Amino acid sequence: MAFENPSREEIKEILLNAGNIAVVGLSDKPDRTSYMVAQALQQNGYRIIPVNPMVSGEILGEKVYPSLSDIPEPVDIVNVFRRSEQTPPVAEEAVKIGARVLWLQLGIFSEEAYEIASKGGLTVIMDRCIKVEDSILIGKRS
C-alpha cells in the first residue's frame, strides 16, 4: 500500500495533543532550518527535546541528548532533520521509546522508515514541515 500522510484534521489533532517533541538532528547554529523550526515550535508552547550526538550541553535552553533512547521522559513526536537514508534507525528507536508520531521534515521521505514506524504503531508524517503545519492548523496559542 502506498504511503499517504494523515489528513489535515488528523495532523491538527496530533499537534493539539503533543507536548514533548524530540528533534533529531537539531543544530545549535541559529541560521540552520532545524534551529529555526524548533525555536518557533518552542515559542508556540511545545517542549523541544534536542537530539544530536555531536552537540553537548543545551540548545534553546534544553538539555541535548545523544539519542532518543537517552531521553528520560515520554516523547509524543519524533521530528527528524536527517537525510532520508538515515531515517530507518531513527524510526526503530522511535518505536523502541514508545513515541506516538514519526515526523520526517520537508524533503525527507523513506518507505523503510514508514514501514518500521507504522508496524510499531506510530503515525507517520513525511515530507512536511511541522512548523508550517502548526502555523496553518493551530496558529498562535494564547
Side-chain angles (χ1 to χ4, degrees), residues 23 33-34 37 41 79-82 84 103-109 125-132:
V23 184
T33 303
S34 63
V37 167
L41 292 172
N79 181 228
V80 185
F81 283 91
R82 306 291 308 155
S84 297
W103 191 309
L104 305 185
Q105 275 296 132
L106 194 61
I108 306 169
F109 187 92
I125 300 169
M126 296 194 285
D127 193 25
R128 292 267 180 94
C129 178
I130 192 169
K131 175 186 175 291
V132 170

Side-chain angles (χ1 to χ4, degrees), residues 17-23 46-51 62 65 67-79 93-101 122:
N17 293 303
N20 292 342
I21 301 176
V23 184
Y46 296 98
R47 166 90 191 291
I48 299 302
I49 303 173
V51 179
E62 294 285 351
Y65 294 93
S67 72
L68 290 171
S69 300
D70 293 309
I71 299 171
E73 57 194 289
V75 171
D76 298 308
I77 298 174
V78 174
N79 181 228
E93 211 177 357
V95 169
K96 192 167 84 174
I97 67 165
R100 294 188 298 129
V101 177
L122 278 72

